Amino acid sequence: MADEIFWAEKVVDEITKKPRKEYVCEGGWSPSGYFHIGNARPEIFTPHAIYLVLKKRGFKAKQVMVVDDFDPIDKIPAGIPVPKGTEKEFIGVPYKLAKSPFEGYKNWADYFTSQITDVIDEFGVDVKFISSFESYKSGERNELIKFSLEHSKEITETWNRVAGADKSDSFLPVTVLCEECGKIMFTEALSWDGKKVSYKCKSCGFEGSVSPFDGKAKLHWRVHWVANWILNSVVFESGGKDHFSKGGSVDVGQALIRDVFGKDPPYMIPTEFLNLKGTKMSGSVGNVFGLKQWLEVAPPDLFRFMFFSYKPNSAIDFSLNDNSFILLNERFERAERIYYGEEKAENERIEAKAKNAYSLSRMGGLSKKMPLQVPYSFAVQLTQLVDPEKRFNEITKLLKQTGHIKQKLSKDEEERLTSLLSFARTWVEKYAPEDFKLSFLESLSADELSRMDKDAKKLLPAIAASLSKEHSADAIQQAIFNTAKENSVAPKQVFRAIYLALTGKESGPRAGLLVLALGKEKCVKRLKEVS
């Protein structure tokens, strides 16, 4: 079982070899556009896993996330309402100083950062957000800026050696905020006299010199990253796998902190991408799915499970528009059954992985007995047949007939079921592919009739008559099966004909449930019409 120790346990074994008063796990993000669930993996949930293990072992720990809002806007993301012709007013301006594209927010950074801060508590993550701009402006980075400028030659030499770059000896690792146009992307630092940096702005042509302290300049992002580690005493940080390429930003940063700043780098591991329909998500491009959107279709527990059930170096291909979302729910439901002993895993390795991922995923602690479980896939079918807001009592009655509910629901169980039905209904309305959609076929066409088995089709009026006498889903199901067997017709073909007659599809939920949910009288009438 040694190989199946949770990956975060192994990391904590390493980072706690050197005692600290507090172990800080860090993530970072530039608010160029919408924060998406792909960002959440390396910047929030990989460090969160380390934080959780540290806390479980009794260490003092903290999770922080640096919002790099002193970075410049380099393009306008798709769908952002920036008035046509004004794009140049935004490009090059720091996120924290640019106007918000939406009303009610102080600036660009505040709007996009709110997409995380407004909901992160709901995902069970206790994280401190640090504004990069405010950190520079407050002066707490002044000493690091001064040190970096005084050791610019060592920084350049180290950078060139590790990355195979060819930066000149005159390179200065700062970017000045232009005093004239307020942009930071187009300035070039020319010299440092120990007090001021002279610079030139390629956007407006302004030339001048300014003290680089108190928010007047920002460290180059690779040096800025090192400054984060030092300032926040970071012991662990992850990042997208692209940063970990040979000679890339991680290699450069680790060399800089060791060779120039004389400190140890944090323990770092790469995290693979989370792809949306096979494409890497990008907040600056606009193909994103965010935390707020997730809470419309699934609980935060499932989101946590998606990350904790994979090692960081495993790629995740995710889609809301195909069967992969249903399969994710089914994996979570199975892990829950395994955790509570309601299902046996294939072996000890799978059992350990399932139990660990589930226990880390559950919000608000673990209950002593298994919670009410209605499969998400079943809820998807049910909410299309019965309106959960108007006919909730009918749904609970049907769930009792199907065995999903075995006793009177507690208040917590009612709330859990209500949430599940709401999630499922929203997923169907916004994301489900056509083959998941289900409704009563208002009129029976020649196409449905032609797809039915001839013998099964002839049997439908007789089945309609037998259904009139039955009142439970199981009894209806059995009546259909018995009628098929008595008439030597394959039950599979009979059920297929019923689905075609009622919904126009060749399969669906158990026919007994379908008939009751759609309305028995309406279904009986339809089956009698088939000829």
Side-chain angles (χ1 to χ4, degrees), residues 195-231:
K195 292 185 178 180
K196 292 185 176 183
V197 171
S198 64
Y199 69 98
K200 180 177 181 178
C201 180
K202 296 176 183 177
S203 177
C204 68
F206 181 81
E207 294 185 41
S209 61
V210 67
S211 166
F213 308 127
D214 302 329
K216 300 294 194 306
K218 176 186 177 295
L219 289 166
H220 185 283
W221 77 270
R222 295 200 186 195
V223 185
H224 164 82
W225 201 4
V226 173
N228 288 347
W229 299 339
I230 296 170
L231 196 64

Side-chain angles (χ1 to χ4, degrees), residues 372 374 388 392-393 395-396 399-400 405 407-422:
L372 171 70
V374 176
F392 182 78
N393 289 338
I395 285 183
T396 57
L399 289 172
K400 285 177 182 176
I405 295 177
Q407 58 192 30
K408 183 177 174 59
L409 295 179
S410 67
K411 186 177 179 180
D412 286 344
E413 288 173 331
E414 274 197 18
E415 290 176 356
R416 181 180 172 94
L417 178 58
T418 299
S419 294
L420 172 66
L421 296 172
S422 176

Side-chain angles (χ1 to χ4, degrees), residues 1-192:
M1 291 296 293
D3 290 340
E4 292 310 316
I5 296 174
F6 182 44
W7 65 268
E9 299 276 2
K10 296 178 182 179
V11 173
V12 170
D13 286 342
E14 291 299 316
I15 64 178
T16 54
K17 286 178 180 177
K18 184 177 180 180
R20 292 186 177 222
K21 291 182 179 179
E22 183 176 52
Y23 293 85
V24 180
C25 305
E26 182 179 86
W29 171 70
S30 181
S32 57
Y34 288 104
F35 184 88
H36 52 76
I37 60 175
N39 297 132
R41 190 182 191 192
E43 310 306 346
I44 293 181
F45 282 89
T46 299
H48 188 56
I50 306 301
Y51 168 83
L52 289 175
V53 174
L54 285 164
K55 295 290 284 186
K56 183 181 75 172
R57 294 194 188 179
F59 292 104
K60 185 178 181 182
K62 180 169 68 174
Q63 184 173 352
V64 302
M65 183 171 179
V66 178
V67 179
D68 285 316
D69 48 12
F70 204 1
D71 288 353
I73 299 171
D74 60 0
K75 62 181 162 183
I76 308 298
I80 301 302
V82 170
K84 193 172 182 179
T86 67
E87 294 88 351
K88 288 185 178 180
E89 296 177 17
F90 289 84
I91 302 300
V93 179
Y95 300 118
K96 195 70 172 181
L97 299 178
K99 291 185 295 185
S100 170
F102 296 92
E103 291 185 5
Y105 297 87
K106 294 178 181 178
N107 50 63
W108 181 288
D110 285 356
Y111 170 73
F112 286 106
T113 304
S114 74
Q115 306 302 302
I116 320 170
T117 56
D118 285 355
V119 296
I120 195 62
D121 286 352
E122 296 185 52
F123 289 85
V125 180
D126 181 16
V127 57
K128 178 184 177 183
F129 290 89
I130 298 172
S131 163
S132 171
F133 177 82
E134 296 300 339
S135 175
Y136 278 96
K137 188 178 178 182
S138 70
E140 66 179 358
R141 292 178 185 254
N142 287 351
E143 286 302 314
L144 287 165
I145 293 171
K146 186 173 185 290
F147 180 91
S148 299
L149 287 167
E150 290 174 347
H151 294 79
S152 59
K153 281 187 169 50
E154 293 99 308
I155 287 173
T156 303
E157 288 169 2
T158 303
W159 193 332
N160 286 341
R161 171 173 54 82
V162 175
D166 58 355
K167 293 189 175 298
S168 70
D169 291 342
S170 62
F171 172 75
L172 295 175
V174 295
T175 311
V176 177
L177 180 65
C178 181
E179 301 162 273
E180 183 69 20
C181 67
K183 297 185 176 184
I184 198 170
M185 189 166 75
F186 306 105
T187 57
E188 180 184 1
L190 302 173
S191 64
W192 158 248

Side-chain angles (χ1 to χ4, degrees), residues 248-307:
S249 53
V250 169
D251 282 353
V252 171
Q254 290 181 334
L256 288 175
I257 195 170
R258 283 196 190 101
D259 300 346
V260 181
F261 292 84
K263 297 181 181 296
D264 292 328
Y267 190 101
M268 303 184 77
I269 57 172
T271 298
E272 263 283 3
F273 298 128
L274 188 155
N275 297 322
L276 186 65
K277 292 184 286 188
T279 304
K280 182 185 173 185
M281 281 177 279
S282 171
S284 60
V285 173
N287 63 325
V288 299
F289 183 75
L291 297 175
K292 287 184 177 181
Q293 291 165 292
W294 180 277
L295 292 176
E296 294 178 346
V297 296
D301 308 59
L302 184 70
F303 188 80
R304 292 167 64 93
F305 178 80
M306 179 167 64
F307 294 123

Side-chain angles (χ1 to χ4, degrees), residues 363-475:
M363 300 279 290
L366 293 158
S367 57
K368 291 182 179 179
K369 67 175 185 176
M370 182 170 143
L372 171 70
Q373 187 180 100
V374 176
Y376 193 92
S377 57
F378 189 60
V380 163
Q381 296 174 337
L382 205 54
T383 57
Q384 295 180 75
L385 303 173
V386 184
D387 187 334
E389 292 185 5
K390 297 178 181 177
R391 299 165 62 189
F392 182 78
N393 289 338
E394 285 185 47
I395 285 183
T396 57
K397 183 179 178 181
L398 288 170
L399 289 172
K400 285 177 182 176
Q401 290 192 14
T402 57
H404 291 99
I405 295 177
K406 295 180 173 60
Q407 58 192 30
K408 183 177 174 59
L409 295 179
S410 67
K411 186 177 179 180
D412 286 344
E413 288 173 331
E414 274 197 18
E415 290 176 356
R416 181 180 172 94
L417 178 58
T418 299
S419 294
L420 172 66
L421 296 172
S422 176
F423 290 142
R425 192 174 178 89
T426 302
W427 180 73
V428 170
E429 291 172 351
K430 290 191 172 185
Y431 303 105
E434 278 304 313
D435 56 346
F436 275 86
K437 294 184 178 179
L438 196 64
S439 63
F440 184 74
L441 191 66
E442 292 303 325
S443 60
L444 192 61
S445 70
D447 176 61
E448 285 83 35
L449 292 170
S450 68
R451 288 155 61 197
M452 295 178 189
D453 176 83
K454 291 181 180 179
D455 293 331
K457 181 167 64 174
K458 291 177 183 177
L459 205 56
L460 294 189
I463 287 175
S466 67
L467 296 190
S468 301
K469 307 169 188 175
E470 308 299 345
H471 302 287
S472 73
D474 285 344

